[in-house]
Amino acid sequence: MSKETFVFTSSTLRSLRLQQEMLDWEERKRAASRQYASWRYQPNVRRNLSLPKSTRYPKYCRDPAVHNALYTGDLPRIQSIFNDEITANLIVETVSEELVWSTELGLWVLTPQKKHTSPLRITVARGYRDCVKHLLLQGAEVDAVIGGKAALHDSSANHRAECTRLLLRHNANPNIFSDDGLTPLHLCTTQETLPCAQLLLEYGALVNQNTRDRRISPLHVAAKHGLDDHLKLYLCYGANIAHRNREGETALNTACASTDRPEDAEAEILPSPPCMLKAVVLSCLFGFFLFTNIALGTFFGF
């Protein structure tokens, strides 16, 4: 053994290794502190950084004056209040008194209930097109589901065709689901909603999209409400007339089951004219498609 070397014990080697690791950790800590200090005192860098939309914390608005501007469609006031992306995506919170059954008291009591919506939903539902356009230009999220629905649900249910067109042009999802499992096409339940249904289908709405729970198609909805023009429109876009919902009903079954409760014996036996009309229309269409399929199959030898 050379006289310049000596033997280290295992405990000495372990101590030296731990000491080296501690020195390395202290060096990394000082480097991180210097980096943080240099970033902290650069306001331009901090201003350019932003969190992704999915991680931003929602901001709530409970100001009655702001609510009034939205519900009345006061465009100048809305332009002054909602002037950036943060304000355009505020969550509007309202509180209303509702009767709720109390098991402890054994009676109905008035209980404050909070309801949430968005500026885009409020203006869309009332057809304030210019207000809707301003909010979209300020960065309002077109597919945000606030309070259980998106803006496209409100425009379709309230037959606001111009607002529906505007939302779709800003890349709104025509197949977006509400919290109840409904698409905008399922909310076209009146004759006035036909232009909205046409727009939704033109922009890619799925005509055979079912609800999440009961597997109801838009064809079922149109048959239930006696919307003959909607039925023709959906069939032109390839609606499946033989589709059955969770209860096993087709659109034809739904059409006959949706009549009002009869008030006399004759009405109990004979179906009402709306039901007969819907049944005839659906039966003829079903027979036509069935005959066409059989004829084509026979011709081609299937």
Side-chain angles (χ1 to χ4, degrees), residues 50-126:
S50 61
L51 291 173
K53 292 182 178 181
S54 59
T55 60
R56 292 176 185 171
Y57 294 102
K59 295 184 180 295
Y60 294 85
C61 174
R62 305 175 180 88
D63 190 346
V66 177
H67 297 179
N68 183 68
L70 290 169
Y71 283 104
T72 59
D74 189 346
L75 181 58
R77 189 74 184 276
I78 289 175
Q79 289 174 336
S80 64
I81 296 173
F82 303 94
N83 52 16
D84 56 21
E85 185 177 356
I86 295 177
T87 55
N89 289 290
L90 288 175
I91 296 179
V92 179
E93 182 178 276
T94 58
V95 180
S96 60
E97 299 286 342
E98 294 184 4
L99 283 173
V100 178
W101 177 258
S102 174
T103 55
E104 298 178 355
L105 301 177
L107 48 84
W108 294 91
V109 295
L110 282 173
T111 305
Q113 298 290 333
K114 293 182 179 180
K115 294 184 178 180
H116 293 155
T117 184
S118 67
L120 193 61
R121 282 194 59 193
I122 295 174
T123 53
V124 159
R126 286 153 183 80

Side-chain angles (χ1 to χ4, degrees), residues 73-282:
D74 189 346
L75 181 58
R77 189 74 184 276
I78 289 175
Q79 289 174 336
S80 64
I81 296 173
F82 303 94
N83 52 16
D84 56 21
E85 185 177 356
I86 295 177
T87 55
N89 289 290
L90 288 175
I91 296 179
V92 179
E93 182 178 276
T94 58
V95 180
S96 60
E97 299 286 342
E98 294 184 4
L99 283 173
V100 178
W101 177 258
S102 174
T103 55
E104 298 178 355
L105 301 177
L107 48 84
W108 294 91
V109 295
L110 282 173
T111 305
Q113 298 290 333
K114 293 182 179 180
K115 294 184 178 180
H116 293 155
T117 184
S118 67
L120 193 61
R121 282 194 59 193
I122 295 174
T123 53
V124 159
R126 286 153 183 80
Y128 301 143
R129 185 182 183 279
D130 292 337
C131 299
V132 173
K133 184 177 181 180
H134 172 75
L135 292 170
L136 291 173
L137 292 176
Q138 296 304 315
E141 296 184 18
V142 69
D143 286 333
V145 178
I146 308 296
K149 294 180 180 178
L152 202 56
H153 292 106
D154 292 308
S155 68
S156 302
N158 293 281
H159 49 84
R160 308 296 184 183
E162 289 301 319
C163 292
T164 300
R165 188 191 307 273
L166 189 59
L167 293 172
L168 291 170
R169 285 180 176 176
H170 281 77
N171 300 320
N173 180 9
N175 298 301
I176 189 170
F177 280 101
S178 67
D179 287 353
D180 295 330
L182 305 176
T183 66
L185 207 57
H186 290 106
L187 298 177
C188 295
T189 58
T190 62
Q191 185 62 35
E192 293 79 9
T193 60
L194 182 61
C196 293
Q198 291 174 330
L199 286 169
L200 290 169
L201 291 170
E202 289 175 6
Y203 279 84
L206 301 177
V207 72
N208 290 311
Q209 180 67 64
N210 301 325
T211 58
R212 285 176 176 169
D213 52 354
R214 298 182 58 192
R215 301 186 67 249
I216 295 175
S217 68
L219 198 66
H220 283 89
V221 176
K224 177 181 179 180
H225 293 89
L227 305 176
D228 296 336
D229 292 335
H230 288 67
L231 289 171
K232 297 174 184 177
L233 176 66
Y234 297 158
L235 290 170
C236 288
Y237 274 85
N240 181 11
I241 198 171
H243 170 72
R244 297 179 180 274
N245 59 14
R246 191 182 63 182
E247 288 76 19
E249 297 177 345
T250 64
L252 178 61
N253 301 136
T254 304
C256 293
S258 63
T259 57
D260 296 332
R261 180 175 297 177
E263 296 180 356
D264 52 27
E266 183 179 0
E268 291 179 358
I269 298 174
L270 298 177
S272 63
C275 175
M276 294 177 65
L277 177 61
K278 290 183 287 185
V280 169
V281 171
L282 288 172

